[in-house]
Amino acid sequence: MTRTSPLGPDAAPDPAPAATPPNTPAPTPDPTANRTPDAHRPPRQRPRPHPRPGEPRLLPRGLPGADGERPAPDVVRGAFALWLTAVAAGVFETVLAMVKTLTEADASTGGLAAGLALRVAVYSAAVLVAVRMRRGANWARLALAGVLGVLGTLSLVIEPVRWLADGHTPGEAFRHLDAVDVLFGASRVLHLAAVFAAVTLMFRPAANAWFKK
């Protein structure tokens, strides 16, 4: 007896399933298919490019960090920051002195301009020499210690010492202080402390070994 398809005598028979070849390995799942990006992973930092010969430099030759300079120890970097602090305090004192002078009736414009030009030249030279010291120039370290550390300190304290030598007492100075005088005195104390600390750090053992390299 012949079996008849339920779809009719003319219906095609169902195709037989394809036979799987023997010894066929099962497909390996992709481990990265369902991987989600790690939001806490820090971004990968790109290496700093070095200029090739003939290409423009990223930093001027005189600034710290140019030309792939050898890293300075912490004491040298601290001394450099303290010298910048001393220069900033000196600039602030110059501004206060100008304000004090301009409020006086007998202020001389010519003398004020000459003094301002001199201070600008000194502070600019101090910053440039401090940059050279930061880059490892031993002559710059000696210049900062001798010129600013010794002569600069004497110029800062000679006027108060001379005033006391004339027979005045510290109490007289405190009796006539105003806001400008208080700011000037605080800046002068910071100025001297920064100079002393910078000179001390420049001649620490770690700094001496670094400058001898």
Side-chain angles (χ1 to χ4, degrees):
M1 180 176 179
T2 304
R3 296 184 61 182
T4 305
S5 174
L7 298 179
D10 298 333
D14 294 338
T20 303
N23 301 327
T24 302
T28 303
D30 186 4
T32 62
N34 298 324
R35 181 178 296 176
T36 57
D38 190 358
H40 301 286
R41 181 179 299 174
R44 183 177 299 175
Q45 297 182 355
R46 297 181 179 179
R48 181 179 177 182
H50 295 282
R52 298 178 180 178
E55 291 183 352
R57 299 179 183 274
L58 299 179
L59 290 174
R61 185 178 295 273
L63 293 181
D67 297 338
E69 64 180 20
R70 55 196 174 100
D74 293 338
V75 288
V76 175
R77 292 197 297 268
F80 177 71
L82 288 169
W83 282 121
L84 295 184
T85 302
V87 171
V91 172
F92 183 65
E93 294 165 17
T94 301
V95 173
L96 293 178
M98 291 179 59
V99 172
K100 188 80 171 179
T101 304
L102 291 175
T103 56
E104 298 176 356
D106 56 347
S108 174
T109 306
L112 185 63
L116 178 61
L118 177 61
R119 289 179 179 271
V120 168
V122 170
Y123 294 146
S124 300
V127 171
L128 294 177
V129 176
V131 169
R132 296 297 300 172
M133 182 276 301
R134 170 64 175 76
R135 299 191 65 209
N138 190 50
W139 67 263
R141 177 177 68 149
L142 298 177
L144 289 172
V147 178
L148 297 183
V150 177
L151 299 180
T153 301
L154 291 177
S155 67
L156 294 178
V157 301
I158 190 171
E159 184 177 352
V161 171
R162 185 182 300 171
W163 186 81
L164 292 174
D166 291 338
H168 300 280
T169 60
E172 297 180 18
F174 286 103
R175 280 196 299 267
H176 304 286
L177 288 179
D178 54 12
V180 175
D181 294 330
V182 172
L183 291 176
F184 189 91
S187 179
R188 182 58 58 88
V189 171
L190 176 63
H191 192 162
L192 291 171
V195 170
F196 291 152
V199 172
T200 301
L201 290 180
M202 287 195 307
F203 291 91
R204 296 283 295 173
N208 292 333
W210 184 72
F211 279 107
K212 290 179 180 179
K213 292 181 181 179

